[in-house]
Amino acid sequence: MIFTSIVFALFFLIVAILYYSLPCKHRWILLLVSSIFFYMYSIPAYILVASFIILITFYAAIKIEKAKVSEKAMQFYIAAITANVGILVFCKYSNFFSSSVFDSINFARQKLFHNTEIWNNTLLIKVVAPLGISYITFQAIGYLIEIKRGNHYAEKNLGHFSTFLLFFPKIIAGPVERAHHFLPQLQQIKKFDFDKIIIGLQQILWGLFKKLVIADRLSIYVSAVLGNAENHSAISLIAAVIFYVFQMYADFSGYTDMALGFAKILGFDLMQNFNRPLLSKSVTEFWRKWHISLSTWFADYFYTPLAIAKRDWGNWSIVYAFFTTFIVLGFWHGANWTFLIFGTLQGLILTIEFFTRKIRKNIRKKVPMFLNNMAGITFTIGYFALSLIFFRANSVSDALIIIKKIFTSRESGIYIENPSIMLFCIFGILFLSIVECKKEYFNHLFTFSNNKYWLIRNGYYCLLLMIILIAGVFDGGEFIYFQF
Amino acid sequence: MIEVYKKLSIKKGYQYLLLKIAAFLLLAFITDFISGSILRSFYFKQTSGWEYRTKYSIDGTRADVLIFGASRAQQQYNPLYFEERLHQSCYNVGRDGEPFFYYYAVLKAVLKRYTPKIIILDIENGVFKESQDSYDRMSILLPFYKSHPEMRSIIELRSPFEKLKLQSQIYPFNSMLFKIAIGNTEMNKKRNQDIKGYVELRRVLDEPIRTVDFLKNKYAIDSNKVNFYRSFIKDCKQANVKLYIVCSPYFIHAVGTDISMTIAKEIAGENNIDFVDFAKDEIFLNNSKLFDDTVHINVAGSKIFSNKLIDTMILKNKIF
Amino acid sequence: MDRSEIIHQLTNIFIDIIDNGDISLYNETTANDVDGWDSLTHIQLVVAIEKHFKLRFNSKEIQGWKNIGELADSIAGRIA
């Protein structure tokens, strides 16, 4: 059930009506039941995998908290972490590893023994990862780490804990919630809050707009060009790659806005996941504003412990932590060498920015702020676009073909087979840019969405709705982050 | 009014939430109605372009001879030859990229207005293939949903909630804003010109013929498409329209026959409909220069093909 | 060394590492209150603090600090 479907809208309407019809103390049961239903809607059997993770994590956390001896706590901790990581690795990466093993064997046999027969991975079962497995395991692992550190209590109510991990607004693609942020909300009595519901509806509308009008429209051009890169000019490829940045942002942040909006209607505040990242003036700043729930998860549980453990290396501990963290973060996205390169590119630029921060600060003092901002934003979007070439490509060689064509193609002219699509794409990017710039730089001057006059406020929402009907893509788009 | 407005500003429980949502929906309905009406007006005012041709096919043409199909109909059958030799008016209602749903919807609209004398239906390989894209492409029929009840059951197949979406006046014109705007300009008349619906292809293919093994090329069949094909034949028979079903030339050396083509021939045979097959015509298989690409003939090829088809029609029926 | 002196010395370290002369630290100050104090600079701050006060924290201590006050307590406990 994707958020933009009418089936989901009906499902949510029923859940919301039932939710506010029930007494407050029983509402979590409805949330759990509807989350289980949502999870089982595609492939019912996968609930078994989720249940296993929930049970292992729940009981291990209680044991860790209760353990009188730290070695005992450590045993439960390692067992539970291993189980979570093991399931994640098996579900997401077993095909990759087995294919890589077979590719290596075949390569060796060809080079060493001149044997061209191909051995295939026919023995191992092709594993299809359960819905939201990365998000479930990461939230579980984060929970266990906080319990072990003594920063959070172990949840004693299995139902509450299950609801935390399976909560349907965030199960498909996050945010990666923290237990200490979510569980107290589950335990608080939630009265009907009119303001929250209106805010939630506003978020859903804006998320829907970004997804249907901007992301899915850009995707048409991006797929047409990047899916056939050998036959397009450099300028078309550059346009497609830049469009892909906006598509990625609109798609993912649109989904997140909808997730936050649905949760808000039910009275829950989920973590903010984006903070206008495309207006970042450095890639370092970008990663503080993009997929915040995941990057802070990695910062708290990966980067910081790594850097602290190796702090005797001085600045090189930071470099080491950067590369390791972003390579793992890249790999989290999928089992492909392209994601590794994506991660490595992030580690590389963050290292360069780290070592040049003082120089750049001095330059900033001498350059007008507007120019400085423009240069920073342009560089950040450009670099992210370059790394996304690998992120999107099916293989490293496909990505290199695109990059080679960008820098060596002598063909002229931009691909505009359908002017209407190009016009909608440009409109979408402009609209998004104007809204983001307004929120970033001019929010104090005026607002449509929170205007005090009912007609202006609702007129703006009607305008968004009309644009969705005129310019939205209804022919089955899918969220990019769905696959993770 | 002011009292209502003041009430809308007060934040209270469920009732006021429902009141506020109702007020928003009313505003949305009014905006949707006005915007949709404007779009509808401009859509139907177009005098050139693809949308105009769709409109003309559905609401305008009264030609005696109509040519149906997808790109292989639109870009291969030149109505001028049919008019010259059959002495009857001819219009090509073929439409690039459209699936069988479109052909049948246009037929229903046409037969509601008048009865053509001859219909030529071009059938291509894979015409009955199951594909979500075929349903998505029915979007070009959405503007006609309101005014053409005979098309509604076909259009509603597009998605389970299509009927609900079509309550919006804007939705039928989704993604058409710029096309409608351009279609209302004078300059658009010079773009994508056609000859009574026929679009010339001018490239010349220069490569050796390739082999396609249809025996290995299996795919799922969409029963909706097959049913509409049967209905197409039945409606033509009932209306006393002389129907020819044609497989126009391919620059392909075929091993076996495509599944859809086999089904099409069988059903045509069951209904005693003339099925004219040019897929193995030696004139075309031996001459790549008559082709724009392996599945479309060019202007030169169209001249030969159209006339050959007319020869066959005359020979088969001796009525001209 | 009393706590106010510790916090004064911490302030100088922060100003140096974060390169911002406007920093003022109090017991309740957290990373959210100081512009430029993030996971990146946090590591550099820890290294600089250890070097300055000539001590070594363990991971549990470092991850346990919720504000400047707790950090100062850790230092006070080590150098007392």
Side-chain angles (χ1 to χ4, degrees):
Chain A
M1 253 194 276
I2 57 170
F3 283 0
T4 49
S5 65
I6 293 181
V7 170
F8 179 80
L10 289 171
F11 164 78
F12 185 78
L13 188 64
I14 295 167
V15 169
I17 292 170
L18 287 173
Y19 185 77
Y20 285 107
S21 309
L22 286 172
C24 292
K25 60 181 179 180
H26 295 137
R27 286 179 183 172
W28 70 267
I29 301 172
L30 173 71
L31 289 182
L32 179 60
V33 167
S34 47
S35 296
I36 291 171
F37 175 82
F38 184 88
Y39 198 81
M40 292 176 73
Y41 188 78
S42 52
I43 300 179
Y46 283 155
I47 195 67
L48 296 171
V49 178
S51 303
F52 179 71
I53 294 170
I54 290 168
L55 290 168
I56 290 261
T57 310
F58 176 77
Y59 285 111
I62 292 172
K63 293 289 188 196
I64 292 168
E65 192 182 58
K66 274 189 182 161
K68 292 185 171 39
V69 178
S70 67
E71 284 81 15
K72 204 84 176 141
M74 185 59 85
Q75 282 170 5
F76 286 115
Y77 175 69
I78 289 174
I81 296 277
T82 307
N84 273 287
V85 172
I87 289 169
L88 180 63
V89 167
F90 176 74
C91 288
K92 281 191 75 165
Y93 305 107
S94 53
N95 297 330
F96 170 74
F97 287 130
S98 64
S99 301
S100 298
V101 163
F102 274 92
D103 286 345
S104 307
I105 292 172
N106 286 323
F107 182 78
R109 286 171 68 241
Q110 195 183 23
K111 290 293 176 199
L112 298 173
F113 308 112
H114 305 288
N115 188 335
T116 54
E117 186 195 339
I118 303 288
W119 283 354
N120 285 320
N121 171 15
T122 51
L123 296 174
L124 295 178
I125 303 160
K126 264 254 179 231
V127 177
V128 178
L131 183 72
I133 191 69
S134 306
Y135 296 98
I136 296 174
T137 51
F138 266 48
Q139 284 167 129
I141 291 169
Y143 171 71
L144 286 166
I145 293 173
E146 294 296 344
I147 303 288
K148 180 73 175 58
R149 287 180 182 177
N151 292 338
H152 194 260
Y153 60 87
E155 175 58 57
K156 307 294 186 298
N157 184 321
L158 179 59
H160 283 185
F161 185 71
S162 305
T163 309
F164 159 56
L165 285 191
L166 291 177
F167 188 51
F168 70 86
K170 64 173 176 60
I171 192 75
I172 295 183
V176 182
E177 266 297 329
R178 304 292 179 100
H180 67 260
H181 184 241
F182 187 88
L183 284 169
Q185 296 185 66
L186 201 55
Q187 285 140 9
Q188 284 162 19
I189 297 171
K190 267 171 284 301
K191 287 189 287 191
F192 179 86
D193 187 333
F194 174 85
D195 286 333
K196 272 197 166 168
I197 289 177
I198 295 298
I199 292 170
L201 289 169
Q202 291 168 357
Q203 280 179 304
I204 292 167
L205 183 61
W206 179 231
L208 206 56
F209 183 95
K210 282 194 281 191
K211 169 64 179 161
L212 295 180
V213 176
I214 303 173
D216 287 352
R217 185 68 62 183
L218 289 169
S219 147
I220 298 172
Y221 187 86
V222 168
S223 302
V225 174
L226 295 185
N228 191 19
E230 305 86 0
N231 297 317
H232 287 285
S233 65
I235 186 86
S236 301
L237 289 169
I238 291 170
V241 166
I242 300 293
F243 278 10
Y244 188 56
V245 172
F246 286 90
Q247 176 196 338
M248 232 348 203
Y249 174 57
D251 191 284
F252 198 9
S253 68
Y255 160 78
T256 301
D257 281 344
M258 295 182 77
L260 265 60
F262 287 122
K264 189 82 86 176
I265 289 174
L266 298 172
F268 289 85
D269 293 316
L270 297 182
M271 277 181 79
Q272 185 192 28
N273 223 6
F274 293 89
N275 187 13
R276 295 184 287 282
L278 298 190
L279 291 175
S280 301
K281 293 168 277 297
S282 68
V283 181
T284 311
E285 185 186 345
F286 177 88
W287 280 104
R288 281 191 213 113
K289 298 180 171 186
W290 175 278
H291 205 171
I292 295 168
S293 65
L294 186 72
S295 53
T296 52
W297 191 100
F298 269 99
D300 290 348
Y301 303 130
F302 213 84
Y303 168 82
T304 304
L306 270 179
I308 287 173
K310 300 293 176 195
R311 64 189 183 279
D312 293 335
W313 295 354
N315 282 339
W316 293 103
S317 70
I318 291 175
V319 175
Y320 165 74
F322 272 152
F323 274 97
T324 316
T325 303
F326 276 94
I327 285 170
V328 172
L329 190 149
F331 210 44
W332 174 89
H333 286 86
N336 197 322
W337 296 110
T338 52
F339 293 116
L340 249 76
I341 294 177
F342 169 79
T344 307
L345 286 171
Q346 307 311 315
L348 177 67
I349 192 62
L350 259 67
T351 302
I352 294 171
E353 284 185 358
F354 172 66
F355 281 119
T356 58
R357 66 197 181 287
K358 286 215 162 81
I359 300 167
R360 287 184 293 113
K361 194 168 178 178
N362 290 336
I363 293 172
R364 272 202 299 277
K365 286 176 185 163
K366 294 172 187 157
V367 172
M369 182 152 63
F370 173 74
L371 268 174
N372 184 58
N373 287 350
M374 282 307 300
I377 291 169
T378 306
F379 174 79
T380 303
I381 291 178
Y383 190 87
F384 189 59
L386 174 71
S387 65
L388 280 184
I389 294 174
F390 288 92
F391 187 89
R392 190 188 182 278
N394 289 327
S395 68
V396 176
S397 53
D398 285 350
L400 291 173
I401 287 170
I402 294 170
I403 293 171
K404 188 180 170 199
K405 263 233 119 178
I406 286 174
F407 288 105
T408 61
S409 169
R410 291 188 195 283
E411 293 162 42
S412 62
I414 188 166
Y415 173 69
I416 308 181
E417 193 227 315
N418 188 335
S420 177
I421 293 176
M422 182 55 96
L423 287 166
F424 275 122
C425 287
I426 293 170
F427 164 77
I429 290 176
L430 277 175
F431 195 100
L432 182 64
S433 304
I434 289 168
V435 170
E436 297 275 285
C437 286
K438 182 257 164 202
K439 285 181 184 171
E440 181 82 2
Y441 303 115
F442 306 110
N443 217 27
H444 55 284
L445 289 181
F446 67 94
T447 173
F448 289 118
S449 54
N450 290 312
N451 196 283
K452 59 180 179 178
Y453 295 111
W454 181 89
L455 197 59
I456 294 177
R457 209 166 60 240
N458 284 273
Y460 176 67
Y461 294 128
C462 276
L463 175 69
L464 291 182
L465 193 56
M466 296 308 117
I467 297 176
I468 289 171
L469 287 169
I470 294 173
V473 176
F474 291 98
D475 304 327
E478 261 212 5
F479 299 108
I480 294 173
Y481 264 71
F482 200 99
Q483 60 185 301
F484 309 115
Chain B
M1 270 299 290
I2 294 172
E3 284 304 316
V4 171
Y5 183 79
K6 275 186 183 167
K7 273 190 177 164
L8 287 171
S9 308
I10 300 169
K11 295 170 211 162
K12 279 193 183 162
Y14 301 106
Q15 316 94 296
Y16 285 97
L17 172 68
L18 290 173
L19 191 62
K20 287 227 170 180
I21 289 176
F24 169 75
L25 288 175
L26 182 63
L27 184 62
F29 173 78
I30 294 168
T31 320
D32 174 75
F33 184 80
I34 295 172
S35 310
S37 303
I38 294 171
L39 282 167
R40 178 171 294 277
S41 162
F42 279 103
Y43 177 92
F44 285 102
K45 267 170 72 177
Q46 290 178 92
T47 49
S48 64
W50 294 100
E51 282 71 43
Y52 167 73
R53 265 180 252 159
T54 305
K55 183 187 73 163
Y56 186 76
S57 299
I58 290 171
D59 285 336
T61 183
R62 294 192 82 87
D64 295 323
V65 181
L66 291 178
I67 299 159
F68 283 76
S71 60
R72 283 163 51 78
Q74 184 183 39
Q75 293 159 8
Q76 299 185 146
Y77 298 70
N78 188 334
L80 294 179
Y81 299 119
F82 291 87
E83 286 189 343
E84 187 188 325
R85 293 189 58 195
L86 299 178
H87 311 292
Q88 297 182 83
S89 55
C90 179
Y91 190 80
N92 188 326
V93 301
R95 184 63 189 262
D96 188 8
E98 287 303 317
F100 208 93
F101 306 124
Y102 177 80
Y103 320 158
Y104 187 53
V106 172
L107 177 75
K108 284 179 82 96
V110 161
L111 291 178
K112 203 174 173 196
R113 289 190 296 111
Y114 79 105
T115 308
K117 295 201 176 90
I118 296 171
I119 285 178
I120 298 167
L121 171 63
D122 182 272
I123 289 290
E124 56 186 15
N125 291 331
V127 66
F128 300 132
K129 188 176 179 183
E130 202 173 65
S131 155
Q132 179 58 42
D133 184 62
S134 301
Y135 292 85
D136 295 341
R137 284 179 182 268
M138 275 202 273
S139 57
I140 68 166
L141 292 172
L142 294 179
F144 301 93
Y145 181 87
K146 199 173 167 184
S147 52
H148 288 267
E150 72 279 6
M151 285 188 188
R152 287 182 192 162
S153 60
I154 303 168
I155 295 171
E156 284 164 9
L157 288 175
R158 193 164 174 259
S159 73
F161 296 99
E162 203 64 17
K163 207 169 166 180
L164 177 65
K165 291 180 205 166
L166 283 160
Q167 299 310 306
S168 159
Q169 302 303 309
I170 293 180
Y171 174 73
F173 306 99
N174 173 262
S175 301
M176 292 188 197
L177 179 66
F178 295 114
K179 287 185 213 171
I180 293 171
I182 293 168
N184 277 281
T185 61
E186 275 302 305
M187 74 144 189
N188 193 52
K189 288 179 181 166
K190 297 192 183 99
R191 295 175 68 230
N192 299 324
Q193 289 176 326
D194 65 289
I195 302 167
K196 297 185 187 246
Y198 160 64
V199 174
E200 290 180 336
L201 294 178
R202 297 203 162 265
R203 273 193 316 205
V204 176
L205 186 68
D206 185 14
E207 62 184 52
I209 196 163
R210 59 186 174 94
T211 303
V212 173
D213 189 345
F214 287 108
L215 297 171
K216 287 186 186 163
N217 191 12
K218 303 275 183 237
Y219 52 81
I221 294 290
D222 186 334
S223 57
N224 282 330
K225 290 179 181 174
V226 176
N227 290 337
F228 284 139
Y229 176 65
R230 287 186 192 279
S231 299
F232 193 105
I233 292 171
K234 183 178 151 207
D235 288 5
C236 286
K237 282 173 93 169
Q238 274 178 354
N240 274 324
V241 175
K242 177 62 190 161
L243 176 63
Y244 295 90
I245 300 177
V246 182
C247 173
S248 44
Y250 281 95
F251 192 63
I252 285 170
H253 174 245
V255 174
T257 310
D258 172 71
I259 312 167
S260 295
M261 201 59 70
T262 306
I263 293 171
K265 277 185 188 169
E266 269 173 24
I267 295 173
E270 282 166 18
N271 288 276
N272 297 316
I273 299 294
D274 287 320
F275 193 108
V276 190
D277 191 349
F278 283 85
K280 291 183 163 55
D281 190 306
E282 294 289 329
I283 290 176
F284 293 96
L285 289 178
N286 293 331
N287 193 350
S288 71
K289 291 191 174 16
L290 296 177
F291 286 85
D292 174 273
D293 59 41
T294 55
V295 300
H296 296 96
I297 47 179
N298 57 26
V299 170
S302 173
K303 181 176 181 181
I304 297 171
F305 165 66
S306 300
N307 282 290
K308 283 198 84 168
L309 175 60
I310 295 164
D311 289 339
T312 308
M313 288 162 70
I314 291 171
L315 196 67
K316 273 185 182 293
N317 294 286
K318 299 182 179 24
I319 55 170
F320 303 111
Chain C
M1 194 185 297
D2 66 4
R3 284 183 88 264
S4 59
E5 177 56 26
I6 291 173
I7 291 183
H8 174 73
Q9 291 186 21
L10 283 174
T11 305
N12 290 336
I13 294 169
F14 270 64
I15 287 170
D16 179 46
I17 295 294
I18 296 177
D19 195 15
N20 179 356
D22 287 333
I23 293 173
S24 301
L25 299 179
Y26 308 96
N27 279 325
E28 307 78 28
T29 309
T30 67
N32 292 333
D33 305 317
V34 179
D35 201 24
W37 183 10
D38 53 35
S39 45
L40 216 114
T41 46
H42 186 71
I43 313 300
Q44 295 172 285
L45 286 164
V46 167
V47 171
I49 291 166
E50 285 181 332
K51 199 171 166 186
H52 179 85
F53 290 100
K54 294 182 181 44
L55 43 72
R56 187 149 177 102
F57 300 110
N58 61 45
S59 305
K60 197 171 172 182
E61 277 179 292
I62 296 169
Q63 282 152 12
W65 299 324
K66 298 226 178 9
N67 53 39
I68 289 291
E70 291 189 13
L71 165 56
D73 288 342
S74 281
I75 296 169
R78 292 298 185 104
I79 62 175

